[in-house]
Amino acid sequence: GQLPTWLQGILLRNGPGMHTVGDTKYNHWFDGLALLHSFTFKNGEVYYRSKYLRSDTYNCNVEANRIVVSEFGTMAYPDPCKNIFAKAVSYLSHTIPEFTDNCLINIMKTGDDFYATSETNFIRKINPQTLETLDKVDYSKYVAVNVTTSHPHYDSAGNVLNMGTSIADKGKTKYVLFKIPPSVPEKETKKSCFKYLEVVCSIPSRSLLHPSYYHSFGITENYIVFVEQPFKLDIVKMATAYIRGVNWASCLAYHKEDKTWFHFVDKKTKKEVSTKFYTDSMVLFHHVNAYEEDGHIIFDIIAYADNSLYDMFYLKNLNKVFEESEKLTSMPTCKRYVVPLQYDKDAEVGSNLVRLPSTATAIKEKDGSIYCQPEILCEGIELPRINYDYNGKEYKYIFATEVQGTPVPTKVVKFNIQTKEMLHWGEDHCWPSEPIFVPSPDAREEDDGIVLTCVVMSDPTKAPFLLVLDAKTFKELGRAIVDVEMHLDLHGIFIPEKDLKTETE
């Protein structure tokens, strides 16, 4: 096929790439050592490159020729790198062990720089053109967080907004929202943006010893949307996991009898909306988008009825998944919540406060709290992406992977929220990755552009490829076949040519 002439830049993606070191194996697919790969588009041609992230974790493991640094699902034991990574924990100060810098989940842009990220307090700067690993940044030097999300947001001024959980402060566990500016003051050019990191606000955890696990959050023009779900970390178990010889993942538990709480923080006042909004228990990883309409916040998420998804990615279970004997017990469901921030305070108990046309409801309870029920948009999609120019605004399209029973995607889809129409791309033996939308330079409509996805083949005789789809019609424009093994990755970013520094810079 052919690529649009305007497509110039780099698709940069990240994911677990090495699951065996020497004679040792990771337990969980999400633990593998980070492998970056990129597709560079230049004048109608595509260049492929891949390279392991040279993290301290990678270097320690390779040097020892075995896994010596613990990951979330794999406790390395005993640990000769211990002096670097896991300073002994004292239960009294509630600190948790220092984490790995195996940043394998996503790529984040900060100013002109790019970082590989995971959910620990470490990120690694990388060169997006050569995939070289550069500086290591420890968030906890600039803000009191022990874990962070791998899905930051970017505002119109170029600031990065992200959230992390602060556990260390003597039992005052809280969720911290922080902002990293895109540049530093002119006199301070030697300093990093992180020195100017600012805490926007913090939300106390409902439970001091059991903070909620979260993978992403939402943002509208004026608010931050944070969902405190009953999928929780047990800090006491976590602090003693090393001594007990169990992995940190075993310290995560789903409390299905608990509620899920919604928090809305006003970006201007930096204060949380005081009304208590909640819904039934659920597990979510990915927010899709959020926006405001007529005194309501509308936000879309992909939710599950339980936490079985994580367990399916244990390597011992993955073989069963591929043989299709293992099925998801809970299908991902795309849910839309419509939350009335402005409502008649004298409304009757039991009345629905939603004033927009939607099947989503928000029922006033006796104690003044508001119980929200969603509108179901569709089922069976994951790894949602949108046209990011519409982030925080009313929008129409979700680009995602389709999962049918097993967690490994078999198709990519375009879903129209308004008409509920779904377009698919799929072929036999194909496992596509998260689809990334790239707008065309003269885009007038939300779906003017292309969609990029990396396709791994389950048939070992067939080569993997990068697929380029027309975002409007979802028809294939072209594919770039790669004659090396490609790994299943997690998340990534498209970097237009204008955002790449030239080599001399």
Side-chain angles (χ1 to χ4, degrees), residues 398-416:
I398 302 174
F399 301 96
T401 55
E402 185 176 81
V403 282
Q404 296 285 349
T406 69
V408 179
T410 49
K411 289 179 179 160
V412 278
V413 298
K414 173 191 184 182
F415 179 68
N416 182 326

Side-chain angles (χ1 to χ4, degrees), residues 227-499:
V227 177
E228 192 174 12
Q229 60 182 350
F231 188 29
K232 299 179 190 175
L233 276 171
D234 183 321
I235 294 172
V236 177
K237 278 188 172 172
M238 212 158 175
T240 57
Y242 190 82
I243 302 153
R244 291 182 299 121
V246 298
N247 64 17
W248 288 314
S250 67
C251 310
L252 260 181
Y254 178 47
H255 302 261
K256 59 174 179 292
E257 65 293 339
D258 289 0
K259 296 169 177 161
T260 300
W261 296 89
F262 299 155
H263 300 272
F264 304 100
V265 175
D266 185 319
K267 286 197 243 174
K268 290 192 189 70
T269 64
K270 303 183 176 181
K271 297 229 175 343
E272 194 185 337
V273 173
S274 58
T275 310
K276 297 273 181 274
F277 297 99
Y278 74 95
T279 189
D280 302 323
S281 65
M282 62 179 175
V283 172
L284 84 132
F285 300 97
H286 294 117
H287 278 254
V288 185
N289 199 5
Y291 62 94
E292 296 157 47
E293 188 181 329
D294 189 17
H296 298 68
I297 284 182
I298 296 171
F299 68 94
D300 300 340
I301 58 171
I302 310 279
Y304 294 83
D306 62 34
N307 61 320
S308 62
L309 182 74
Y310 186 83
D311 292 339
M312 293 193 81
F313 283 99
Y314 275 103
L315 295 178
K316 63 176 194 287
N317 298 340
L318 267 184
N319 291 331
K320 296 180 205 153
V321 166
F322 294 141
E323 289 154 11
E324 310 225 340
S325 58
E326 188 90 16
K327 292 275 188 246
L328 274 171
T329 53
S330 158
M331 279 298 270
T333 305
C334 187
K335 296 181 172 182
R336 164 164 289 188
Y337 287 91
V338 181
V339 180
L341 290 189
Q342 294 158 16
Y343 59 91
D344 176 5
K345 300 290 183 255
D346 302 325
E348 280 180 41
V349 169
S351 59
N352 176 17
L353 305 173
V354 175
R355 297 183 314 283
L356 298 176
S358 171
T359 54
T361 58
I363 306 295
K364 186 176 172 182
E365 306 266 295
K366 272 207 222 41
D367 62 0
S369 66
I370 294 173
Y371 170 54
C372 303
Q373 280 284 57
E375 172 184 341
I376 304 295
L377 296 179
C378 68
E379 289 206 319
I381 66 167
E382 234 322 342
L383 301 173
R385 293 293 291 248
I386 59 168
N387 176 342
Y388 201 77
D389 294 340
Y390 287 75
N391 192 45
K393 302 176 186 147
E394 188 173 354
Y395 75 120
K396 224 193 302 203
Y397 301 109
I398 302 174
F399 301 96
T401 55
E402 185 176 81
V403 282
Q404 296 285 349
T406 69
V408 179
T410 49
K411 289 179 179 160
V412 278
V413 298
K414 173 191 184 182
F415 179 68
N416 182 326
I417 296 160
Q418 290 165 4
T419 64
K420 304 287 190 280
E421 180 193 15
M422 203 180 263
L423 299 177
H424 299 82
W425 179 93
E427 281 181 9
D428 288 348
H429 311 296
C430 285
W431 292 333
S433 71
E434 164 196 64
I436 291 193
F437 174 83
V438 183
S440 60
D442 49 2
R444 290 205 176 82
E445 291 176 303
E446 187 183 333
D447 58 352
D448 280 346
I450 57 155
V451 168
L452 300 172
T453 177
C454 309
V455 181
V456 173
M457 305 302 288
S458 60
D459 176 346
T461 63
K462 299 204 164 100
F465 56 93
L466 172 87
L467 178 70
V468 185
L469 298 173
D470 178 308
K472 259 199 186 326
T473 61
F474 235 53
K475 295 275 182 282
E476 183 173 330
L477 294 174
R479 58 176 74 181
I481 293 164
V482 182
D483 58 359
V484 296
E485 269 190 41
M486 212 158 74
H487 63 309
L488 280 171
D489 57 28
L490 289 168
H491 296 293
I493 187 172
F494 179 78
I495 310 168
E497 196 175 39
K498 64 173 174 32
D499 294 351

Side-chain angles (χ1 to χ4, degrees), residues 27-45:
N27 298 331
H28 200 280
W29 185 62
F30 295 159
D31 292 343
L33 292 171
L35 181 56
L36 302 165
H37 64 161
S38 68
F39 294 87
T40 303
F41 303 93
K42 209 167 182 168
N43 308 329
E45 297 196 295

Side-chain angles (χ1 to χ4, degrees), residues 149-211:
T149 91
S150 217
H151 288 282
H153 282 282
Y154 307 92
D155 67 15
S156 51
N159 296 296
V160 176
L161 289 156
N162 204 358
M163 284 189 70
T165 302
S166 175
I167 296 170
D169 196 13
K170 302 204 174 28
K172 292 196 183 96
T173 305
K174 56 187 188 237
Y175 311 108
V176 180
L177 181 80
F178 57 91
K179 180 160 99 179
I180 308 162
S183 56
V184 298
E186 270 173 33
K187 297 191 192 82
E188 304 284 347
T189 47
K190 294 266 185 294
K191 290 191 175 162
S192 86
C193 295
F194 297 97
K195 287 231 177 1
Y196 295 89
L197 181 149
E198 166 196 342
V199 171
V200 178
C201 77
S202 60
I203 299 167
S205 166
R206 292 188 71 84
S207 161
L208 295 183
L209 293 174
H210 298 90

Side-chain angles (χ1 to χ4, degrees), residues 35-86:
L35 181 56
L36 302 165
H37 64 161
S38 68
F39 294 87
T40 303
F41 303 93
K42 209 167 182 168
N43 308 329
E45 297 196 295
V46 188
Y47 302 85
Y48 179 76
R49 170 176 296 202
S50 73
K51 203 171 209 177
Y52 282 103
L53 183 77
R54 298 300 198 265
S55 59
D56 293 356
T57 299
Y58 175 94
N59 293 333
C60 273
N61 286 344
V62 167
E63 198 179 335
N65 195 30
R66 64 190 188 93
I67 297 165
V68 292
V69 180
S70 298
E71 297 294 334
F72 200 65
T74 309
M75 191 55 83
Y77 200 82
D79 185 344
C81 259
K82 188 159 185 330
N83 54 347
I84 306 178
F85 285 96

